[in-house]
Amino acid sequence: MSYLSPDTELETELQELYILARHWQDDISFLEDEARFFRNILMKYDDIATESIGTAAEFRQKIEGQEKQLEALRSAVPEFLLFLEPYLGNDKKTMDLTFLDRYNELQNGLTALFAGIKKTKKELFAYAEAVMAGNVISSQS
């Protein structure tokens, strides 16, 4: 069994991190599509559900907050990729804690956003099902 030299191992890890950050951009695009989908659901059932106006407004507020987080991450990921580039290639920049801080901040932000959107989706689907089942007073009754 042969072992890679420490520099080669680090280079491989950094390249994998770069690829991961590129995938984060795809994840953000997916989450933006989810937010648009949520807005479409709200618009569809907004006219039907009169009793739950507060619930629809709460969903709108939650979705707007998540969209702001998405916007921040959408610009932060390319910035991180640019930050990461000097650590790759021939002219290696010396690593410090800033590197880990930036990575952890992005990773934690994306993980929290995925969890928040998953929770919103579950709640929004329950709301839509309740409206469709007639469990919410309808303006069309």
Side-chain angles (χ1 to χ4, degrees):
M1 176 179 208
S2 66
Y3 292 96
L4 298 173
S5 68
D7 289 338
T8 306
E9 287 179 34
L10 179 59
E11 180 71 23
T12 301
E13 292 292 325
L14 289 171
Q15 288 174 359
E16 288 176 7
L17 182 58
Y18 189 87
I19 291 168
L20 175 64
R22 296 290 306 244
H23 285 284
W24 288 344
Q25 291 175 313
D26 295 335
D27 292 342
I28 290 168
S29 293
F30 171 78
L31 293 175
E32 288 173 334
D33 290 341
E34 288 284 280
R36 271 192 296 281
F37 177 68
F38 295 167
R39 285 193 176 279
N40 289 337
I41 288 175
L42 278 178
M43 285 187 341
K44 181 175 181 163
Y45 295 108
D46 213 12
D47 295 337
I48 298 172
T50 58
E51 181 181 271
S52 61
I53 297 295
T55 304
E58 290 169 17
F59 278 122
R60 259 190 224 87
Q61 186 177 25
K62 190 181 289 190
I63 293 167
E64 285 172 7
Q66 291 169 343
E67 287 173 331
K68 286 178 184 174
Q69 290 175 311
L70 279 166
E71 188 178 310
L73 286 170
R74 176 161 289 295
S75 63
V77 170
E79 289 172 9
F80 180 72
L81 288 169
L82 287 173
F83 171 78
L84 185 58
E85 284 178 5
Y87 296 100
L88 301 168
N90 296 332
D91 300 327
K92 302 256 189 303
K93 181 178 176 182
T94 305
M95 260 186 226
D96 58 17
L97 290 178
T98 306
F99 182 89
L100 286 175
D101 288 342
R102 289 188 74 164
Y103 169 77
N104 286 332
E105 183 180 329
L106 276 174
Q107 177 67 35
N108 292 339
L110 198 54
T111 300
L113 188 57
F114 258 107
I117 285 182
K118 183 178 179 181
K119 182 179 178 194
T120 300
K121 180 188 256 182
K122 189 175 184 178
E123 293 169 352
L124 189 58
F125 282 6
Y127 166 75
E129 286 176 1
V131 171
M132 289 187 311
N135 294 338
V136 177
I137 295 176
S138 172
S139 62
Q140 297 174 351
S141 299

